[in-house]
Amino acid sequence: MRCRDGELEVVRVLIAPLPNSIISEEVSELPLDFGGVMGDRHHGTTRPSDTRQAGFYPRGTQIRNRRQVSIVAEEELELLRQAFDLPDLRPEELGANVLVRGLKDLSAMPIGARLLFESGAGLVCEGVNRPCQLPVHALRARHPGAGLRGFVKHAFARRGIVASVERPAGIRAGELVRVHLPDVLAPPRS
Amino acid sequence: MRCRDGELEVVRVLIAPLPNSIISEEVSELPLDFGGVMGDRHHGTTRPSDTRQAGFYPRGTQIRNRRQVSIVAEEELELLRQAFDLPDLRPEELGANVLVRGLKDLSAMPIGARLLFESGAGLVCEGVNRPCQLPVHALRARHPGAGLRGFVKHAFARRGIVASVERPAGIRAGELVRVHLPDVLAPPRS
């Protein structure tokens, strides 16, 4: 492992090419533009709002796309794998675009944190990836006997983060990632 | 005042039309698209990075524009006005696009908070507006005798926030604004 404390290392990069399938596939380079991952089902500078924005906008409203890139951590996938006694848990089955290692609590990263890649790519954390049922279906297909009851609930805050592109570049396995937390400015004492 | 606890009310909306001047001018409606305020000097889906991103990107790198809209609060402007014993302090001189009232600590709003306007517009808080020297020049022109030493430092966390457009609409004075703080998801207890 190349990364030091406070740094991440990219382990794999993946694209989910099919609009109706969560499954992502490993690629040699993750091509980014301001719409996210080119060729991925979540690509776009805007997108229709879904149930996650219920209460904010009528469903189907065109809104800025803040969930362009899905990032998961080896450390958290291992916790999930153990919790459900699975032989393995692949980032493909979570539709992840980037698998990283080096941080115990990726999912706790605050909104606004920057992920700065060696390639020059810059992503902005847009918050935890709220779990859905799709990974359960994908896992069940490969592990028909697995007890996956409670997976969605258990995956809360272990399912990584979603991010948007601040500066596009191509991301590759082996790159180091520097994490920069957002400034918190206190008012002056007066 | 129409707004209740946790709500804001739009007092004025303004556009800064000149690329080289911070001064904004009151308008009857703030026209938004996914690039921000149409006709404003900060409009754009992308922009070249500046000194605020030094350490992240080489200066002049094209990055996503996260500081599209500047929002200030009457309550914080009044604190600043009093601190420098000014007869008045206009949002125009801070280049603000939206003046609101109803919240004591607008500048403490966390990144990722949503501002949901009655018109349907949705903005995302991108953090505090880091003060610069430009308002000092604008204030000095109108108040030649004022002691403005320390204004920049004092304006930290009283100068409002910058925001990006999640859902465009036209914003008008008198609208109420609902603030929705970002979810913080704790991992399950196991």
Side-chain angles (χ1 to χ4, degrees):
Chain A
M1 198 186 300
R2 289 176 62 206
C3 50
R4 295 168 304 178
D5 226 33
E7 278 185 341
L8 299 173
E9 180 179 346
V10 177
V11 182
R12 296 171 67 196
V13 291
L14 311 96
I15 292 178
L18 301 176
N20 296 317
S21 166
I22 192 177
I23 306 286
S24 52
E25 302 167 1
E26 186 160 12
V27 290
S28 58
E29 184 177 278
L30 200 69
L32 301 182
D33 65 12
F34 287 109
V37 178
M38 288 187 273
D40 189 272
R41 63 199 284 259
H42 283 112
H43 183 270
T45 54
T46 66
R47 67 185 186 89
S49 67
D50 60 31
T51 51
R52 290 183 176 89
Q53 293 83 42
F56 305 143
Y57 310 113
R59 190 169 174 158
T61 303
Q62 206 64 16
I63 60 172
R64 184 158 55 80
N65 183 12
R66 296 167 63 197
R67 44 181 301 110
Q68 297 178 337
V69 185
S70 159
I71 309 174
V72 296
E74 271 190 355
E75 291 82 352
E76 290 180 332
L77 292 195
E78 176 59 18
L79 287 177
L80 265 178
R81 187 196 68 74
Q82 287 174 13
F84 290 91
D85 200 23
L86 296 166
D88 60 7
L89 180 55
R90 303 178 182 168
E92 283 88 342
E93 288 153 345
L94 301 174
N97 298 118
V98 184
L99 174 67
V100 294
R101 66 161 75 105
L103 202 65
K104 273 208 183 68
D105 47 3
L106 173 72
S107 296
M109 189 174 284
I111 300 181
R114 281 188 168 95
L115 296 108
L116 299 161
F117 293 75
E118 277 188 291
S119 57
L123 302 183
V124 177
C125 176
E126 299 280 3
V128 287
N129 197 347
R130 298 181 71 96
C132 65
Q133 281 288 344
L134 295 178
V136 179
H137 303 321
L139 286 167
R140 197 158 277 151
R142 200 159 57 84
H143 307 288
L148 292 166
R149 225 183 142 89
F151 184 89
V152 171
K153 193 176 163 196
H154 210 90
F156 262 82
R158 285 178 182 163
R159 194 181 164 345
I161 58 170
V162 289
S164 60
V165 174
E166 185 171 43
R167 187 208 187 182
I171 298 175
R172 288 172 172 270
E175 281 187 44
L176 295 186
V177 190
R178 185 162 57 95
V179 177
H180 185 270
L181 298 181
D183 295 334
V184 176
L185 298 185
R189 298 177 191 207
S190 53
Chain B
M1 196 186 300
R2 289 176 61 206
C3 50
R4 294 169 305 178
D5 224 34
E7 277 184 343
L8 299 173
E9 180 180 346
V10 176
V11 183
R12 297 171 66 198
V13 292
L14 310 96
I15 293 179
L18 301 177
N20 296 315
S21 166
I22 192 176
I23 305 287
S24 53
E25 302 167 1
E26 186 159 12
V27 290
S28 59
E29 183 177 280
L30 199 69
L32 300 182
D33 65 11
F34 287 109
V37 179
M38 289 188 274
D40 189 271
R41 63 200 284 261
H42 284 112
H43 183 269
T45 55
T46 66
R47 66 185 186 89
S49 67
D50 60 30
T51 52
R52 288 182 176 89
Q53 293 83 40
F56 305 144
Y57 309 113
R59 192 169 172 157
T61 302
Q62 205 62 17
I63 60 173
R64 184 159 56 80
N65 183 12
R66 296 167 62 197
R67 45 181 299 110
Q68 296 178 338
V69 185
S70 159
I71 308 173
V72 296
E74 272 190 353
E75 291 81 352
E76 291 181 331
L77 292 196
E78 176 59 17
L79 286 177
L80 265 178
R81 187 197 67 73
Q82 286 174 14
F84 290 91
D85 201 22
L86 296 165
D88 60 5
L89 179 55
R90 302 179 182 168
E92 283 87 340
E93 289 154 342
L94 301 173
N97 298 118
V98 185
L99 174 68
V100 295
R101 67 162 72 105
L103 202 65
K104 272 209 184 66
D105 48 3
L106 173 72
S107 297
M109 189 175 283
I111 299 181
R114 280 187 170 95
L115 295 108
L116 300 161
F117 293 74
E118 276 187 293
S119 56
L123 302 183
V124 177
C125 176
E126 299 280 2
V128 287
N129 197 348
R130 299 181 71 94
C132 65
Q133 281 289 344
L134 295 179
V136 178
H137 303 321
L139 287 168
R140 196 157 278 149
R142 201 159 58 84
H143 308 287
L148 292 166
R149 227 184 138 89
F151 184 89
V152 171
K153 194 178 163 194
H154 209 89
F156 262 81
R158 285 179 182 162
R159 196 185 165 339
I161 58 169
V162 289
S164 60
V165 174
E166 184 170 44
R167 187 205 187 183
I171 299 175
R172 288 173 173 270
E175 282 187 43
L176 294 185
V177 191
R178 184 162 59 95
V179 177
H180 185 269
L181 299 180
D183 295 333
V184 175
L185 298 185
R189 297 176 190 208
S190 54

